[in-house]
Amino acid sequence: STFFYFTDNLVTYYIVSSGSSRSPELHKLIVEIKQLELSLDIVLEVVHVPGTSIILQGTDGLSRGVWCSPLHDRPTQ
């Protein structure tokens, strides 16, 4: 199975995509994530989405506790 993780955080994207970090704590976290991938038999695909796209689409609001409703403008997908 492939698990897609969409983020507007470039640091997260580059660290997970490369599989390493110079920061010892971040590197430890990446090693744990890679071990989980192996144990769960999944592939983690990190996809960078620019922040402006996430804001327009509405996902950014959800992460801040703002629910999308029919009253909000939504761009066509």
Side-chain angles (χ1 to χ4, degrees), residues 7-74:
T7 181
D8 65 344
N9 187 306
L10 272 175
V11 173
T12 300
Y13 170 76
Y14 284 122
I15 291 172
V16 176
S17 295
S18 72
S20 65
S21 172
R22 291 183 195 169
S23 164
E25 289 301 312
L26 282 177
H27 187 77
K28 180 181 171 185
L29 181 62
I30 292 303
V31 169
E32 290 175 15
I33 289 171
K34 295 299 180 185
Q35 289 172 338
L36 275 171
E37 279 185 89
L38 290 171
S39 68
L40 296 172
D41 194 25
I42 65 167
V43 175
L44 176 64
E45 288 290 337
V46 179
V47 180
H48 178 256
V49 181
T52 53
S53 297
I54 289 177
I55 290 167
L56 282 174
Q57 190 267 344
T59 307
D60 186 69
L62 290 173
S63 69
R64 299 172 196 278
V66 178
W67 292 94
C68 291
S69 77
L71 301 175
H72 289 95
D73 290 333
R74 291 190 202 167

